[in-house]
Amino acid sequence: MSLDRGEIVLRPIGRVRSDFKVKESVPHRGRGLDIKAVVEILPELGPAAGEIRPGDQIWVLTWLHQASRDVLKVHPRGDLSRPLTGVFSTRSPARPNPIGLHLVEVIEVSGDRITVRGLEVLDGTPILDIKPYRLEMDS
Amino acid sequence: MSLDRGEIVLRPIGRVRSDFKVKESVPHRGRGLDIKAVVEILPELGPAAGEIRPGDQIWVLTWLHQASRDVLKVHPRGDLSRPLTGVFSTRSPARPNPIGLHLVEVIEVSGDRITVRGLEVLDGTPILDIKPYRLEMDS
């Protein structure tokens, strides 16, 4: 395929392993739920994750690969009683670039596998980036 | 060009207009600085931003197009006295997928131009996504 000017190519840094095998099973948001998932980092990128420790609060940026990319307005949380709202004012997965932003807690680190709490996405979801949470930048 | 299996193609939803014309002029972090920038949304995506209002706290996700993508460890903030640290435990722009995550305040909205405070990136930086800040998800 040929790329238009301005298009950007990302390569996943890993994948999520979760218990959610179909889209309909993923909860709308899981903060407060005690659901664990595993962040699997590509072995060749392991050094970039080498300082992640249990107890860390981290951002996981995912690629919500089953989300619609051509929707500009949605009823927030699928609630038809709420007015149609531009997707940039919602956390809907449907958006032109369906990047998921998840604040998660690290439970366990074992080699290139990071077990976390708070990452409710489909099994196999590509991961784009991981960043530390920084109170002074993120609140 | 041909895409490997698993690669992901993003299209910018807009660009940042800022006073920073060269990389060396961008401050390390600007929270607390009273520096304004403009988020220019592509006209065809305007409806997706239609409910953004002055006073909103929003995440702007950018593509840090001048950052190195093949660096796995850095000295945090370029301070050589600090040990080399995996980039996934730092907010360095250098990382395999150099996505910038910026929490900014909306100052003014005029058509497809959103003036914000707290977005210190190079003029022309591509924007990938905008999301509302949600206290219950983001803290």
Side-chain angles (χ1 to χ4, degrees), chain A residues 7-68:
Chain A
E7 292 193 339
I8 293 164
V9 177
L10 278 70
R11 291 175 293 274
I13 63 162
R15 301 266 166 189
V16 179
R17 295 299 161 205
S18 81
D19 291 335
F20 305 115
K21 308 300 181 194
V22 295
K23 193 159 68 167
E24 292 67 26
S25 67
V26 179
H28 259 280
R29 67 191 62 192
R31 305 296 306 285
L33 299 180
D34 188 23
I35 297 173
K36 291 176 187 157
V38 173
V39 167
E40 277 187 358
I41 308 286
L42 292 180
E44 63 268 31
L45 299 181
E51 281 74 29
I52 295 178
R53 297 284 178 266
D56 286 357
Q57 305 285 326
I58 59 175
W59 295 109
V60 177
L61 282 71
T62 61
W63 183 249
L64 303 170
H65 55 305
Q66 295 203 3
S68 169

Side-chain angles (χ1 to χ4, degrees), chain A residues 1 8 10-11 29 31 48 51 73 86 88 91 95 97 99 128-132 136-138, chain B residues 1 8 10-11 29 31 48 51 73 86 88 91 95 97 99 128-132 136-138:
Chain A
M1 82 185 266
I8 293 164
L10 278 70
R11 291 175 293 274
R29 67 191 62 192
R31 305 296 306 285
E51 281 74 29
K73 289 192 177 273
F88 296 153
R91 295 292 279 254
R95 52 213 310 117
N97 292 314
I99 298 174
L128 302 180
D129 196 10
I130 297 174
K131 300 177 187 296
E136 74 277 13
M137 301 172 76
D138 298 329
Chain B
M1 84 185 265
I8 294 165
L10 279 70
R11 291 175 293 274
R29 68 192 63 193
R31 304 296 306 282
E51 280 74 29
K73 289 192 176 273
F88 296 152
R91 295 292 280 254
R95 52 212 311 115
N97 292 314
I99 299 174
L128 302 180
D129 197 10
I130 297 174
K131 300 178 188 294
E136 72 278 14
M137 300 173 75
D138 299 328

Side-chain angles (χ1 to χ4, degrees), chain A residues 136-137, chain B residues 16-39 58 60 62-65 77 91 93 99-105 107 115-127:
Chain A
E136 74 277 13
M137 301 172 76
Chain B
V16 179
R17 295 299 161 206
S18 81
D19 291 336
F20 305 115
K21 308 301 180 193
V22 295
K23 194 159 67 167
E24 293 67 27
S25 67
V26 180
H28 260 279
R29 68 192 63 193
R31 304 296 306 282
L33 300 179
D34 188 23
I35 296 173
K36 291 176 188 158
V38 173
V39 166
I58 59 174
V60 177
T62 60
W63 182 250
L64 303 170
H65 55 305
R77 307 194 64 176
R91 295 292 280 254
I99 299 174
L101 176 64
H102 318 266
L103 181 59
V104 310
E105 181 186 358
I107 305 298
T115 303
V116 302
R117 182 184 287 129
L119 184 58
E120 283 81 38
V121 295
L122 272 175
D123 185 55
T125 295
I127 300 170

